[in-house]
Amino acid sequence: MGTSITPDEIKRFEITEVYAHPEAKVDIVLVHGLNGHPRMTWTAKNGVFWPTDLLPLTLKKAKARVLVYGYNADVYAFGSDKGASSDMIHQHAQTLVNSLALERKSEEMDENAIIWVAHSLGGILVKRALEYSNGLTSKSSDPSRSIFVSTYGIIFLGTPHTGSDHAKMGTILQSICNTVIPKSILHTEPHLVRTLLSDNETLQNINVHFLDIFQRFQIDFVHEAAKTELVKGMKDFVVDQASASMQLPGVRYYGIEANHSNMCKFESKNAPGYLNVSMTIKTWVSEAPPIIESRLVLERDARRQAKVNEANETLGIYAANPMSQSSSSVGGLPGMSTVKASAQPHLHSVQRTGRIEGAPQSSRAFDFATADIMDMDEEVAER
C-alpha cells in the first residue's frame, strides 16, 4: 500500500497527487467536466472521496499513483466575450498536457503509463489534450509529447460522442447546462449558455479527430442508466446511451445505475458502477507498463532515425534505393522512416572517412560520419 493525502489538501487547479505507491509505474488521472471540481466531482453524498477512500484498497499492491486535475471549468470561463469556443478548449488542453508533464518530471515518473478517467465534457478535454500532445514533434516538446505516447487507457464517464449530428450535440450541451448551472444563471445570464452552445462545431471536430488515434488506447464508454431532473417534473438522460457510446471496434460499453452527476461518485465498494470502473483500472495497471515501455523505446528509436536521416541529407548521403524505405511516420513524428532490419543491407555503408561505397566521391573527404554528428549533438545537449 502507498500513502494518501486528505481531500482538504487537493489544489483547486492543476495536478494533485492524492495517492502514491512507492514503486508506482502507472499514473491514474481523473479529469472533471463543466462546473466540476477536482474534489467534489468525485465525492459522494456521504463524503466518500473514492480516489483515496476506495481505489487504493482495490488496487492493493498494484504499483500506481492517483492524480486529480483541476481547471477553471466554470461556465463563465467558457462564456467569456473573448471567444470561448475553440480557444478555451485548446488552452485548457495545453495546460493539462503541460501541467501533467511537469508534475511527472518533477516526481521522476515521466515514463509511467497513463490511465485517464474523465467525466462528461472532461472527456472532450482529454481527447483534445491527446490530439495536441500527438501533434508535438520537436525535441524540446518530448515531455509533453510523452503524455500521448504513455497513454494506455481511457474511461469515459458520460462523455458525449455524437459524430456529426449538430442538432443532437446542441441538445446535449443544453441538458448539461441545465444540470450543472444554477437556475439563477440560466435565467439572468442566458448569453453564457448561448456562447457555450456555440462550441458545438468545435466539440464535434475534436470527436472526429479522435477517430484517427483511438486504436492506440484501451477504451471504456460508460453511460448513465438513470435520468436526471432537468426541469421540475421532467426527467431525461443528459447524455444518453447512444451519445455516450461510439460504435467502435475493440472498446467496451456498459452503464452505471446513476444519473449524470452521480455516475462518477461512489459511496462504497458496493455502489453501482464501482466494481466495473475499479477493476478495469486495476487490470490496466497490471497490463500497461511493459507496453508503454516498448512504445517509449520505439519513440526514441524513431527520433534517432529522424536525426540520422537529417544528418545524412546534410552530408549528401542517400540510400541506394530510397523507395525501399517506408516513408510512413512513426508515432506521429513526420519524417521518421521505418526501416526493417531486412532492408538494412540495401543501404550504402558509410566509412569512417565519410565516403560512401558505390557512390560518386566528392572532392572533399569528410572526417566524420553520421554517428559522430549525433554524438556531438548529444554532448551539446547534455551541456
Side-chain angles (χ1 to χ4, degrees):
M1 295 289 288
T3 57
S4 301
I5 67 171
T6 65
D8 291 337
E9 298 177 80
I10 296 174
K11 295 183 293 185
R12 175 64 183 87
F13 301 115
E14 300 182 353
I15 296 289
T16 304
E17 178 189 271
V18 296
Y19 168 79
H21 187 283
E23 299 176 5
K25 299 297 181 184
V26 178
D27 291 340
I28 303 162
V29 186
L30 287 77
V31 181
H32 63 76
L34 184 67
N35 269 27
H37 188 280
R39 173 185 173 183
M40 301 312 298
T41 291
W42 316 103
T43 302
K45 291 180 179 180
N46 64 350
V48 170
F49 178 68
W50 68 270
T52 58
D53 294 334
L54 300 179
L55 190 56
L57 297 176
T58 301
L59 292 175
K60 295 181 180 176
K61 296 182 180 180
K63 300 177 180 180
R65 297 194 301 159
V66 181
L67 314 173
V68 293
Y69 178 68
Y71 61 104
N72 186 6
D74 188 276
V75 68
Y76 286 100
F78 286 84
S80 68
D81 294 331
K82 297 182 179 180
S85 46
S86 61
D87 283 344
M88 188 56 64
I89 294 288
H90 180 67
Q91 289 169 17
H92 279 314
Q94 284 182 312
T95 303
L96 170 54
V97 169
N98 294 332
S99 295
L100 183 56
L102 287 174
E103 194 280 340
R104 284 157 56 88
K105 186 175 182 179
S106 70
E107 298 296 323
E108 298 183 349
M109 300 283 186
D110 47 339
E111 293 193 354
N112 279 11
I114 298 174
I115 295 169
W116 300 90
V117 180
H119 178 241
S120 192
L121 291 180
I124 302 294
L125 177 57
V126 169
K127 287 181 177 182
R128 184 67 188 93
L130 292 173
E131 292 164 11
Y132 166 72
S133 176
N134 182 39
L136 300 172
T137 57
S138 67
K139 177 64 177 175
S140 60
S141 299
D142 277 0
S144 294
R145 178 172 167 76
S146 72
I147 302 304
F148 168 77
V149 178
S150 300
T151 292
Y152 180 77
I154 314 167
I155 298 177
F156 292 106
L157 299 172
T159 296
H161 312 280
T162 56
S164 59
D165 189 339
H166 286 247
K168 190 166 189 177
M169 177 63 92
T171 300
I172 291 172
L173 288 174
Q174 182 66 65
S175 296
I176 292 174
C177 289
N178 292 341
T179 303
V180 303
I181 300 174
K183 299 296 185 290
S184 60
I185 294 178
L186 287 173
H187 291 305
T188 61
E189 302 189 57
H191 67 282
L192 295 178
V193 177
R194 287 198 298 270
T195 302
L196 178 62
L197 295 181
S198 71
D199 285 349
N200 191 332
E201 184 174 355
T202 297
L203 299 182
Q204 290 180 72
N205 287 338
I206 293 171
N207 286 341
V208 170
H209 289 307
F210 186 71
L211 295 177
D212 295 331
I213 58 176
F214 85 91
Q215 301 96 329
R216 188 180 183 90
F217 314 124
Q218 298 292 318
I219 295 177
D220 276 15
F221 289 127
V222 188
H223 64 272
E224 63 212 57
K227 296 180 179 180
T228 298
E229 185 174 16
L230 301 178
V231 295
K232 188 174 182 179
M234 188 185 78
K235 291 186 176 183
D236 201 356
F237 295 111
V238 176
V239 181
D240 62 22
Q241 180 177 354
S243 300
S245 307
M246 295 178 70
Q247 296 304 304
L248 299 173
V251 304
R252 285 207 320 157
Y253 307 92
Y254 53 92
I256 291 179
E257 289 292 336
N259 64 28
H260 187 74
S261 294
N262 292 330
M263 69 184 301
C264 56
K265 300 173 174 68
F266 304 117
E267 297 181 346
S268 70
K269 67 177 184 178
N270 297 320
Y274 178 73
L275 184 61
N276 248 331
V277 170
S278 63
M279 289 308 297
T280 295
I281 293 173
K282 186 174 182 179
T283 299
W284 289 353
V285 167
S286 66
E287 295 174 348
I291 294 175
I292 296 305
E293 182 180 355
S294 176
R295 288 179 184 174
L296 290 169
V297 170
L298 291 173
E299 181 82 2
R300 286 191 288 268
D301 290 346
R303 175 84 60 193
R304 183 176 177 85
Q305 183 61 50
K307 198 171 183 181
V308 169
N309 294 345
E310 184 178 351
N312 284 345
E313 289 183 7
T314 301
L315 295 174
I317 301 173
Y318 305 102
N321 181 12
M323 296 303 292
S324 66
Q325 298 188 41
S326 168
S327 59
S328 61
S329 63
V330 176
L333 295 174
M336 295 191 177
S337 299
T338 304
V339 184
K340 295 182 179 179
S342 60
Q344 293 290 352
H346 297 294
L347 301 178
H348 286 294
S349 60
V350 181
Q351 305 301 310
R352 293 295 295 180
T353 60
R355 295 187 178 89
I356 311 166
E357 293 181 358
Q361 299 301 318
S362 63
S363 58
R364 178 186 174 197
F366 296 105
D367 294 325
F368 46 81
T370 301
D372 299 314
I373 293 176
M374 293 180 61
D375 292 340
M376 288 187 285
D377 284 347
E378 291 173 357
E379 290 179 7
V380 171
E382 290 175 358
R383 293 173 188 169

